[in-house]
Structures are given as structure tokens and as C-alpha cells.
């Protein structure tokens, strides 16, 4: 099983997961917040074509997570999964798609992969995070979340790899030129995770042996790659966990779990 972030940030998010078992390979996207031309280019950079995608799972209706899904489906008849709340909240999706609806806490078996959606606090209609599991490994994808809840802790307790939001630095956000109302939205329990909150959860997460931790959805205005790199280095070297930062332009390389 392997995965990569094609892009991560406020301009567009997309994660690719690949699982190969018994001679068959399955590939899914989690979110599709990229234009179709950009998605094609990023897939080609990783040795793939859009036609090799078997399904897409959308976490919520914000444009940076779903603006590319309608163009993709017009090009390729691929099944799309999302909550009913996400479907209702996005006019373009309602007009153009007939998705398969996800229910939080109800696992979906998709061509050998187990997908488990669970609710997270965010300022959208029915946000979810996901775990993706095959017979050997389990990946958690947690971004666009304002606070770490018991549900989140429980659902991610046994994952081997985690994509975790490190959205903003408290000091950089407080000193930014953003309007106060936007600062409050970002830092609220329905906004995004700060470096401090993400690190607090990451320390808990790494109490067990893990393979990979990916810092994702960094704000280009209110965070710093250098800050997050220092935090990850301090934390992951002690635990012998491989760490990455998923950025907007380059995402991550392929990350192999085995």
C-alpha cells in the first residue's frame, strides 16, 4: 500500500491512495480540489493517468476539496462518494453528479478497500475525515478540523500512517492582516488545527509505533515550513517515524507502507 498528496493547502487538496493485493491494483482519490488539467499533470508526474482512478471520496463541500470533481466525472465515469450534507451544500455537485452517499461511522467496502468515514468539527454542512484500510495497512486522513474530539482519537487509534492538518501558527495568525472575523473563524473549534493543537495530538498519536506522519494543509500566509519541519524533526526522530510535509505545489512523493 502506498499514498501521496498531490496537493495540500487552501488552493486545492487531493490525496491518492493505491493498494495492490492478489495481482489487482486499486487507486482512489480523497478529495479533488484541483482543476482537471492540474490533476492530470500531477498524476502524470507520478506515473499515472486519470483513467487509472477507480473512485473518489469527498470530505466536504468547500471548493479547495471538491472543485475538480465535476470536470473529472465528465471526463471519466468514476464513482464519487460523499455525505448527503456535502451533496446538498454544493450547487454544482447537486446539478451535475449522482454520488453514492456516505454515512458517518458506516464503513464502505470498495473493491477490497475498507473506507471508514467519521464526523469532524468544521464549518461545513457534514464534514468527514476518513480511514482507508487494506489487509495489511491503514491510513488516516484528517484535515479541515477545528478540534480533536474523542471520535477522532478513537477512529485513528490503530492507523499506520496519518495525514494531519498543521494549518497555522498562533503567533503568525494573530499578527496577520486577516480580518478579525476570519482569524476567529480559523482558530475556532469549527475552523482549522493550529501547530500547537496538531502537535498535541501528534504526541498522543506517536505513543504507539507508527510508520508515517504527514503534516498537511499548511497556510501559505499563517504558517511556515521551517516551523513545521522543526516540530516534526523533534517529535518523529525520537519515535523513528518517517515524516513529510505536504505542500500546495508539490504535495508529497509516493510514500510506501509496504
Amino acid at each position: 500500500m502506498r499514498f501521496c498528496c498531490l496537493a495540500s493547502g487552501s488552493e486545492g487538496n487531493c490525496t491518492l491512495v493505491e493498494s495492490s493485493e492478489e495481482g489487482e491494483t486499486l487507486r482512489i482519490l480523497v478529495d479533488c480540489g484541483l482543476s482537471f488539467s492540474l490533476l492530470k499533470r500531477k498524476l502524470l508526474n507520478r506515473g499515472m493517468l486519470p483513467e487509472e482512478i477507480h473512485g473518489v471520496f469527498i470530505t466536504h463541500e468547500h471548493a479547495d476539496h471538491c472543485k475538480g470533481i465535476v470536470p473529472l466525472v465528465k471526463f471519466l465515469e468514476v464513482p464519487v462518494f460523499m455525505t448527503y450534507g456535502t451533496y446538498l451544500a454544493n450547487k454544482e455537485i447537486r446539478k451535475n453528479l449522482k454520488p453514492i452517499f456516505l454515512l458517518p461511522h458506516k464503513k464502505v467496502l470498495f473493491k477490497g478497500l475498507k473506507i471508514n468515514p467519521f464526523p469532524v468539527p468544521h464549518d461545513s454542512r457534514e464534514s468527514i475525515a476518513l480511514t482507508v484500510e487494506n489487509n495489511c495497512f491503514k491510513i488516516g486522513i484528517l484535515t479541515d478540523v477545528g478540534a480533536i474530539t474523542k471520535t477522532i482519537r478513537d477512529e485513528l487509534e490503530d492507523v499506520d500512517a496519518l495525514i494531519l492538518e498543521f494549518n497555522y501558527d498562533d503567533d503568525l495568525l494573530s499578527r496577520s492582516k486577516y480580518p478579525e472575523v476570519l482569524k476567529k473563524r480559523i482558530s475556532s473549534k469549527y475552523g482549522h488545527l493550529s501547530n500547537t493543537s496538531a502537535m498535541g495530538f501528534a504526541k498522543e498519536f506517536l505513543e504507539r509505533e507508527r510508520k508515517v506522519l504527514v503534516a498537511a494543509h499548511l497556510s501559505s500566509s499563517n504558517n511556515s515550513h521551517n516551523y513545521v519541519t522543526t516540530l516534526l524533526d523533534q517529535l518523529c526522530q525520537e519515535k523513528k517515524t518517517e515524516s513529510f510535509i505536504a505542500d500546495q505545489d508539490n504535495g508529497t512523493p509516493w510514500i510506501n507502507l509496504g
Side-chain angles (χ1 to χ4, degrees), residues 235-246:
L235 183 63
C236 293
Q237 285 179 5
E238 298 174 9
K239 302 294 184 178
K240 297 181 181 179
T241 299
E242 196 171 8
S243 64
F244 298 85
I245 293 180

Side-chain angles (χ1 to χ4, degrees), residues 182-224:
L182 181 55
K183 291 181 184 180
K184 289 180 179 178
R185 184 183 77 79
I186 291 170
S187 60
S188 78
K189 65 180 181 179
Y190 294 103
H192 293 272
L193 282 186
S194 68
N195 291 346
T196 301
S197 297
M199 277 294 290
F201 179 57
K203 288 177 181 177
E204 293 179 36
F205 174 75
L206 291 177
E207 287 176 1
R208 271 193 53 185
E209 184 177 345
R210 314 288 183 170
K211 287 183 173 290
V212 176
L213 177 64
V214 179
H217 217 304
L218 276 66
S219 168
S220 59
S221 302
N222 301 311
N223 211 345
S224 159

Side-chain angles (χ1 to χ4, degrees), residues 157-170:
E157 195 274 335
D158 61 344
V159 300
D160 300 290
L162 176 63
I163 299 172
L164 175 64
E165 178 172 59
F166 279 69
N167 183 251
Y168 66 93
D169 173 80
D170 292 289

Side-chain angles (χ1 to χ4, degrees), residues 131-201:
T131 59
V132 182
E133 181 179 5
N134 68 6
N135 289 330
C136 300
F137 300 104
K138 189 173 183 179
I139 300 168
I141 301 171
L142 179 69
T143 67
D144 294 72
V145 53
I148 300 296
T149 63
K150 183 180 184 301
T151 292
I152 290 170
R153 288 186 172 92
D154 290 346
E155 295 292 350
L156 297 176
E157 195 274 335
D158 61 344
V159 300
D160 300 290
L162 176 63
I163 299 172
L164 175 64
E165 178 172 59
F166 279 69
N167 183 251
Y168 66 93
D169 173 80
D170 292 289
D171 185 53
L172 290 178
L173 179 63
S174 68
R175 292 189 285 110
S176 78
K177 296 180 180 180
Y178 281 15
E180 286 302 315
V181 65
L182 181 55
K183 291 181 184 180
K184 289 180 179 178
R185 184 183 77 79
I186 291 170
S187 60
S188 78
K189 65 180 181 179
Y190 294 103
H192 293 272
L193 282 186
S194 68
N195 291 346
T196 301
S197 297
M199 277 294 290
F201 179 57

Side-chain angles (χ1 to χ4, degrees), residues 23 41 48 60 63 115 118 128 188 219 232 238 249:
R41 187 159 71 246
M48 284 187 52
H60 64 292
I115 315 294
F118 56 93
I128 53 170
S188 78
S219 168
L232 292 178
E238 298 174 9
D249 293 330

